Amino acid sequence: MSEFSYKQIYKKYLEFFKDNGHTIIPSSPLVPENDPSVLFVNAGMFPLIPFLQGQKHPQGKRLVNIQRCIRTGDIDEVGDDYHCTAFIMLGNWSLNDYFKKEAINYTVQFFVEKLGLDINKIYASVFQGDENIPADEVSINVWKEIFAKYNIEAKVGKDEKIQQFGKKENWWGLESGGPCGPDSEIFYDTGKEKCSEECNISCNCGKYVEIGNNVFMEYFKQGNSVLPLGRHNVDFGGGLERIVALLQNVENVYDIDIYKPILQKVKELGKTDNEKSERIIVDHIKAATWIIMDGVQPSRSQQGYILRRLIRRAIRHGKKLGIEREFTREIADICITQFKDIWTNLEQQKEEILKTIEEEERKFNRTLEQGLRELEKRIKREEEINGKDAFLLYETYGLPLEVTEEILEEKNIKLQSRDLFFQAEKEHQEKSRTTSQGMFKAGLTDTSEMSTKYHTASHLLLAALRRVLGDHVYQKGSNITPERLRFDFPNETKLSPEQVKEVENLVNEQIKKKLEVSFEEVDKKKALELVPFAAFTEKYGDIVKLYYIGPKENPFSIEICNGPHVENIEKLGNFKIQKQENVGAGVKRIKAILE
Ligand code: SER
């Protein structure tokens, strides 16, 4: 294998796809522009969602880029061999252009012919199918043909070149919904021993490394339903750091060329060795420089809060390494030097970035001092200090457990019930996870009275549209706030002024009739007979809720839904269509209000 540098590798990638008709597009900023569903861009496809859904991309149907991404998951767990908070994703896309055959062939050509990976060590995973979506036989055949070209007879099955998995492994889409589909991942065998009998390419032990993923976006997820998208897109993504680690023959992503000088500096500053802490500092400070570059400042909420946690966690690990003086500025400076040719804004905003990080470190140090004083006070008062107290000191003042223990030890005091620290930490994490889920689902968890009304109004709108426009209409997307409803549906043209009136009148007539809303729980099969236009969905259990507006024998609307809804639609007031938009090929959007 040839030893290419980090920068050479991504340049080769862009070049290869450019030579194959792709336009190079820039990386988007880390903070999503119009989408509150995630805090940071976490995959190359994210900024392309409107285009995957059918909007025409000004740069064409074949695109390629490198996208800076942030994935925090549980920040407190980041720091193993293969995960980085901030990383670069290689991405190429076909917007309703080429599909499985070309996509997989391009991927293999790039890895084998351009980068020199050994085809004998390459494995593929494909979607095995489930009750709603068929197995991906096309990809299996494409892979077989590719291996055959290299005189390898590829079989499908456990331990074979091609392995099949279910949705967990071989399906990709954002939790919040949008374009999605089965995927086919490509793995490389590092030559390590298998960790167990069961070890296969999807195992995380490090024997097989995932180097890329082709997602075949033919579906669209809305709420719990998965519908055909009506387009065949390809979304390839590959984590640059992992690919580089493999090519440079190092065991973990932190040993690749671009990180070396940063890691070196951390080691120099530290008094003790602790691999994990060193890596966390490299990763988090690098992430902080990118995030600040994209306009975020440390704060108490949203992106700013994540940034603050990253910087503070790096500082805490600095303390673990015995670094006593301020150090983040120096590390950030090297991070900027390393990445400034890739993200040119790093250099332009260098001073501001360094100052922000340095100030946050000072602020945190002051808080830590308060925490120390609080601890001293308790020691003086001879209070018992247990794990839960240690957690509160950590939570409020950022005082790490180890520091608390050290101080107690110096005074020959024992920390009581140390386990309580971890218990409290766990409880806290669960709590913040639940809050952030609620916060970022945007709309879905909103059960305010107005949103409930708009939810019911959306059912009325769909029923009216089907009567006025025809049976091809179904819900392709919906978004509700307490101020309005937004509804996407397939239709070639916008509604004419007459049709708008007709739909509004139909809805308002029902409201005047004071129809009742009711539901029953029925067998999924029966529900789908009654509501053939409902999206079949893998996530509904066997029993689903059917919502009726009007008498059950002859309802104005019937839909599979989880609610909530008003009990009687008389409460809705007057329904008015405010706006119509085009949102993609053959998809129209209506915004409507209740007055
Ligand atoms: N979106 C897919 C992923 O993140 C492929 O780009 O793996």
Side-chain angles (χ1 to χ4, degrees):
M1 245 182 318
S2 10
E3 259 213 24
F4 296 119
S5 72
Y6 187 85
K7 291 178 190 172
Q8 279 171 330
I9 293 171
Y10 87 71
K11 284 182 187 155
K12 276 182 179 295
Y13 174 75
L14 295 175
E15 232 167 71
F16 173 75
F17 280 90
K18 191 168 170 235
D19 289 345
N20 283 292
H22 293 66
T23 307
I24 301 176
I25 57 168
S27 172
S28 294
L30 286 170
V31 178
E33 269 155 14
N34 288 315
D35 193 328
S37 62
V38 296
L39 287 176
F40 291 109
V41 169
N42 59 9
M45 59 74 73
F46 190 84
L48 292 172
I49 292 177
F51 308 102
L52 292 161
Q53 278 172 243
Q55 204 171 306
K56 196 161 173 257
H57 196 288
Q59 310 271 56
K61 294 176 165 181
R62 294 176 173 220
L63 308 172
V64 62
N65 84 354
I66 53 166
Q67 171 67 46
R68 51 183 177 275
C69 298
I70 298 281
R71 286 192 187 176
T72 47
D74 237 331
I75 295 188
D76 293 323
E77 282 158 26
V78 174
D80 66 4
D81 281 0
Y82 282 103
H83 292 94
C84 304
T85 311
F87 62 96
I88 287 182
M89 193 182 277
L90 306 177
N92 60 269
W93 295 274
S94 152
L95 302 175
N96 212 23
D97 192 46
Y98 60 82
F99 207 38
K100 299 180 181 178
K101 183 169 175 157
E102 293 89 333
I104 301 176
N105 269 285
Y106 284 144
T107 303
V108 175
Q109 265 176 40
F110 170 65
F111 281 118
V112 176
E113 284 158 34
K114 297 288 158 187
L115 295 184
L117 289 185
D118 180 357
I119 187 79
N120 292 299
K121 296 183 180 169
I122 285 179
Y123 288 77
S125 69
V126 293
F127 183 53
Q128 72 186 11
D130 68 9
E131 69 212 71
N132 295 315
I133 315 270
D136 189 355
E137 299 292 343
V138 175
S139 293
I140 293 182
N141 287 329
V142 172
W143 277 109
K144 280 186 176 165
E145 279 170 25
I146 290 174
F147 283 120
K149 267 198 261 169
Y150 293 94
N151 296 322
I152 297 169
E153 194 200 335
K155 295 201 183 102
V156 184
K158 186 177 164 0
D159 292 331
E160 300 292 347
K161 281 295 219 190
I162 305 166
Q163 301 183 19
Q164 287 181 296
F165 298 95
K167 276 222 156 140
K168 198 169 145 267
E169 285 85 7
N170 282 95
W171 185 271
W172 204 93
L174 292 166
E175 196 51 41
S176 48
C180 56
D183 63 42
S184 180
E185 294 180 309
I186 171 164
F187 293 85
Y188 202 74
D189 182 355
T190 60
K192 285 185 194 157
E193 288 294 308
K194 280 184 167 191
C195 66
S196 72
E197 260 299 292
E198 287 78 50
C199 185
N200 60 28
I201 53 177
S202 81
C203 177
N204 278 329
C205 71
K207 174 170 175 58
Y208 302 99
V209 182
E210 184 215 321
I211 51 176
N213 185 14
N214 274 298
V215 186
F216 305 117
M217 292 188 160
E218 304 175 80
Y219 297 93
F220 187 88
K221 180 179 166 206
Q222 166 69 41
N224 283 334
S225 341
V226 175
L227 298 156
L229 178 63
R231 308 175 60 76
H232 57 266
N233 305 308
V234 175
D235 159 39
F236 171 85
L240 178 60
E241 283 71 7
R242 293 182 187 193
I243 295 167
V244 176
L246 196 68
L247 282 155
Q248 298 184 346
N249 211 5
V250 291
E251 290 249 321
N252 74 82
V253 288
Y254 297 97
D255 284 336
I256 62 179
D257 63 333
I258 198 147
Y259 291 148
K260 264 204 188 121
I262 318 174
L263 196 59
Q264 195 48 42
K265 187 78 200 171
V266 176
K267 282 184 194 286
E268 246 171 70
L269 294 176
K271 299 217 171 63
T272 53
D273 289 337
N274 181 328
E275 222 167 43
K276 188 166 175 193
S277 293
E278 291 163 2
R279 292 173 184 175
I280 287 172
I281 295 171
V282 173
D283 173 75
H284 288 16
I285 298 294
K286 179 198 72 173
T289 60
W290 295 12
I291 294 173
I292 300 167
M293 171 184 82
D294 278 337
V296 179
Q297 286 288 312
S299 74
R300 286 172 177 275
S301 65
Q302 312 242 1
Q303 286 91 354
Y305 176 65
I306 302 280
L307 172 61
R308 170 162 283 168
R309 270 178 73 191
L310 288 168
I311 299 174
R312 294 189 171 195
R313 188 163 183 250
I315 297 167
R316 288 205 316 270
H317 282 275
K319 305 222 179 291
K320 266 195 174 174
L321 295 178
I323 308 178
E324 269 148 29
R325 60 179 175 87
E326 286 174 15
F327 72 101
T328 55
R329 185 187 171 102
E330 267 168 81
I331 306 295
D333 198 350
I334 306 174
C335 292
I336 293 176
T337 306
Q338 289 305 94
F339 285 91
K340 68 178 184 209
D341 316 335
I342 309 178
W343 315 127
T344 45
N345 282 343
L346 281 177
E347 179 71 0
Q348 277 159 23
Q349 299 172 27
K350 183 168 165 176
E351 251 329 291
E352 192 201 321
I353 296 171
L354 295 180
K355 222 170 96 206
T356 304
I357 294 183
E358 188 172 38
E359 271 170 18
E360 184 60 24
E361 180 167 13
R362 292 197 179 136
K363 223 181 246 171
F364 186 45
N365 280 337
R366 283 198 294 274
T367 318
L368 279 174
E369 273 162 32
Q370 281 175 16
L372 286 176
R373 278 202 294 276
E374 181 64 34
L375 179 61
E376 297 286 349
K377 256 197 259 165
R378 293 195 192 184
I379 294 174
K380 255 197 206 123
R381 291 200 297 256
E382 294 184 9
E383 287 172 18
E384 185 195 279
I385 295 163
N386 66 28
K388 191 159 180 209
D389 301 316
F391 180 73
L392 286 176
L393 286 169
Y394 167 71
E395 198 17 54
T396 321
Y397 305 104
L399 208 62
L401 174 64
E402 298 76 14
V403 176
T404 301
E405 280 185 315
E406 227 170 78
I407 293 167
L408 293 176
E409 234 168 72
E410 280 166 16
K411 315 217 175 247
N412 276 327
I413 304 171
K414 190 175 157 10
L415 178 71
Q416 304 296 321
S417 317
R418 190 173 190 270
D419 279 357
L420 289 180
F421 181 94
F422 301 103
Q423 197 179 316
E425 185 180 40
K426 211 169 148 210
E427 277 164 22
H428 179 81
Q429 276 169 356
E430 307 257 299
K431 223 193 279 160
S432 57
R433 197 172 296 134
T434 324
T435 331
S436 60
Q437 268 166 8
M439 188 150 99
F440 304 125
K441 261 196 198 153
L444 295 180
T445 46
D446 180 1
T447 50
S448 69
E449 196 189 339
M450 258 339 273
S451 297
T452 307
K453 286 184 186 172
Y454 277 122
H455 199 158
T456 309
S458 299
H459 283 214
L460 289 170
L461 172 61
L462 173 59
L465 285 171
R466 285 174 61 84
R467 281 174 175 76
V468 174
L469 301 176
D471 281 347
H472 62 281
V473 176
Y474 61 86
Q475 172 176 325
K476 211 161 159 55
S478 149
N479 173 287
I480 288 167
T481 72
E483 286 77 40
R484 55 116 181 97
L485 70 82
R486 197 179 82 192
F487 190 86
D488 298 347
F489 59 95
N491 202 47
E492 280 311 313
T493 55
K494 287 186 185 171
L495 273 62
S496 66
E498 294 74 37
Q499 287 172 325
V500 168
K501 265 273 130 310
E502 221 180 313
V503 170
E504 284 177 348
N505 287 345
L506 247 173
V507 171
N508 286 321
E509 272 164 31
Q510 310 313 311
I511 295 176
K512 283 203 197 90
K513 282 193 213 155
K514 304 184 179 177
L515 296 182
E516 281 191 5
V517 182
S518 60
F519 71 84
E520 61 179 343
E521 295 196 318
V522 299
D523 187 272
K524 176 151 116 186
K525 236 170 111 196
K526 178 175 166 210
L528 286 170
E529 272 163 28
L530 286 168
V531 194
F533 57 93
F536 53 84
T537 145
E538 84 283 6
K539 283 211 171 120
Y540 282 154
D542 293 338
I543 304 290
V544 300
K545 262 188 184 175
L546 267 184
Y547 264 94
Y548 297 88
I549 302 181
K552 275 200 186 125
E553 323 71 70
N554 182 22
F556 178 72
S557 150
I558 170 168
E559 282 194 47
I560 300 176
C561 177
N562 278 325
H565 288 284
V566 299
E567 284 166 18
N568 189 303
I569 60 173
E570 70 169 312
K571 291 191 188 131
L572 299 187
N574 187 51
F575 173 86
K576 191 164 182 314
I577 293 179
Q578 263 199 324
K579 207 173 167 188
Q580 292 191 68
E581 286 168 29
N582 276 314
V583 281
V587 181
K588 298 291 168 284
R589 168 170 292 175
I590 283 181
K591 286 189 181 158
I593 53 163
L594 294 169
E595 322 174 288

